[in-house]
Amino acid sequence: MPASPPRAEILCHYQVGQARVDIELMAVPQSGYGVNMLLPRIRAAALLDTQQLQQFAAEQPGPGQTKLVPGQGTAAIARITPKGEGDLVLFLSQNLRAADPEPSLTGEPLRRAAETLAGQLR
């Protein structure tokens, strides 16, 4: 197991239609680490291949930005601008192992939902 920085995580599950939606909030004390620490979950949630994951890792959102993860439109990530040092990341995804994707929360609607949730954090 590689070393990982100290962190705090909150993971919540919700039912939206027939789909399960996961919301994960991760805080780490080092700037720029949050998205990288979530890459395994991002890959699994968005069903990305290695090349897609590498591209997303290279083009991840900056602080204050929300981005849809490539693939089926079932995952979005928002980096919240922290007060001070560190990184704060919100990851919103549909759990595809439980059911088919919920169309009303896929693609741009999912990105907007992640952006709205991130905007409520202070």
Side-chain angles (χ1 to χ4, degrees), residues 47-106:
L47 306 174
L48 301 180
D49 62 31
T50 303
Q51 182 178 0
Q52 290 171 310
L53 184 67
Q54 288 173 336
Q55 182 177 353
F56 181 77
E59 300 171 358
Q60 57 187 264
Q65 296 178 331
T66 302
K67 187 173 184 178
L68 193 63
V69 177
Q72 298 184 25
T74 56
I77 195 148
R79 287 195 53 209
I80 300 146
T81 305
K83 294 179 182 174
E85 293 296 314
D87 206 4
L88 187 57
V89 178
L90 182 132
F91 180 50
L92 177 63
S93 64
Q94 290 193 44
N95 184 325
L96 298 180
R97 291 170 285 198
D100 291 331
E102 171 60 40
S104 66
L105 199 56
T106 301

Side-chain angles (χ1 to χ4, degrees), residues 1-5 7 9 37 40-41:
M1 184 78 174
S4 62
R7 63 191 178 277
E9 293 177 81
M37 292 186 66
R41 291 186 202 255

Side-chain angles (χ1 to χ4, degrees), residues 107-120:
E108 184 60 19
L110 183 75
R111 191 202 66 76
R112 284 193 311 268
E115 185 174 62
T116 299
L117 289 169
Q120 295 175 8

